Amino acid sequence: MKNFPVFVFPVSLEFFLNARQTHKQLLTVYNPYDFSVNFKVLCTSPNKFTVIDPEGVIAPQSCIDIVVRYTQPSASHCDTIEKFRITMYDRNTQQALGKRDIPTKLLEGEPLITIQENLGDNFHPLVSRNTASRPVEEHSRTTCHHPSHHREQQPVNVVAVAVSICCIAALLLPTQPEQAVKSQWPEWLHIGSNLKLVFSFVLGLVSMLVLRP
């Protein structure tokens, strides 16, 4: 027999006398190899158990579930260790590649998980308290306001409006190259193009300040 490892889950089986749902369990046999293998299930006490499909083939990198039933549960069989042996064979040569023993035991009573479920796990519904929900309500109240509401409550910036009016008035004045043409405006009101660019830049900044959301 070669010493190929045999992967089985679970590594042991526990049956409970008073829990009929545990009298049927599954053994999963894995084949991680790149070739198909045959398997065979043996038992030390075949009169106590029934195994569905105790022989078969497992494809490469696959697994198979084996159903195990405890057919004769009785108090006299409790705490007695039995074993299942799962052997894998080469499909071509029928040479044994490896084996794995799975110990089993019949226990009295019921599993601990079933007892806890019957008695309850002390789970209770969560109750919303006023002290805990108040910050959430306040947070939702402050975040639900539309930004335009805050904008309406802000006072109008008088200085910004005054600067905007001054910039607009300066941009409406004639530029210096027009001084050769007769104009009804006095000469000191004729400003240069560079100065008008400065007023335009200031007007843009002020407009962003006043009209921002």
Side-chain angles (χ1 to χ4, degrees):
M1 177 182 293
K2 297 182 180 180
N3 194 17
F4 278 65
V6 178
F7 300 94
V8 183
F9 182 83
V11 296
S12 63
L13 296 177
E14 290 184 348
F15 303 88
F16 290 85
L17 183 61
N18 299 329
R20 297 190 58 182
Q21 68 273 14
T22 66
H23 296 172
K24 174 184 176 182
Q25 298 193 30
L26 291 178
L27 278 176
T28 303
V29 184
Y30 299 88
N31 177 20
Y33 307 110
D34 295 330
F35 51 89
S36 300
V37 296
N38 293 348
F39 74 92
K40 181 181 293 186
V41 182
L42 305 175
C43 184
T44 56
S45 299
N47 58 323
K48 297 180 182 178
F49 301 94
T50 298
V51 178
I52 300 177
D53 297 330
E55 299 182 19
V57 180
I58 307 178
Q61 299 181 357
S62 302
C63 62
I64 190 171
D65 292 331
I66 301 173
V67 180
V68 178
R69 296 179 183 270
Y70 204 114
T71 57
Q72 296 183 8
S74 64
S76 60
H77 296 159
C78 290
D79 298 327
T80 301
I81 297 178
E82 308 291 350
K83 290 184 179 181
F84 286 96
R85 172 166 293 181
I86 299 176
T87 308
M88 298 176 63
Y89 300 89
D90 187 285
R91 291 200 63 187
N92 298 325
T93 63
Q94 295 302 316
Q95 181 183 4
L97 301 177
K99 62 181 180 179
R100 181 68 178 270
D101 292 343
I102 307 298
T104 66
K105 182 187 292 187
L106 179 65
L107 302 175
E108 296 182 357
E110 298 181 2
L112 182 60
I113 298 178
T114 304
I115 296 175
Q116 290 179 349
E117 290 179 353
N118 292 335
L119 296 179
D121 292 327
N122 295 325
F123 285 106
H124 303 283
L126 296 175
V127 180
S128 300
R129 298 182 180 179
N130 295 331
T131 56
S133 60
R134 188 177 304 166
V136 177
E137 295 175 354
E138 292 177 355
H139 176 72
S140 61
R141 188 181 301 117
T142 55
T143 55
C144 288
H145 290 309
H146 195 273
S148 61
H149 178 70
H150 297 281
R151 185 179 64 183
E152 293 175 358
Q153 292 181 352
Q154 294 178 355
V156 179
N157 195 332
V158 180
V159 177
V161 175
V163 173
S164 301
I165 295 175
C166 294
C167 292
I168 294 174
L171 293 175
L172 295 177
L173 294 176
T175 55
Q176 285 182 350
E178 297 177 356
Q179 63 183 356
V181 183
K182 293 183 180 180
S183 174
Q184 60 182 358
W185 296 92
E187 294 183 0
W188 60 273
L189 291 179
H190 292 72
I191 60 177
S193 301
N194 295 334
L195 189 58
K196 281 194 173 185
L197 292 176
V198 174
F199 281 114
S200 300
F201 178 74
V202 175
L203 179 62
L205 294 178
V206 176
S207 301
M208 293 176 60
L209 180 64
V210 175
L211 300 178
R212 67 178 181 179

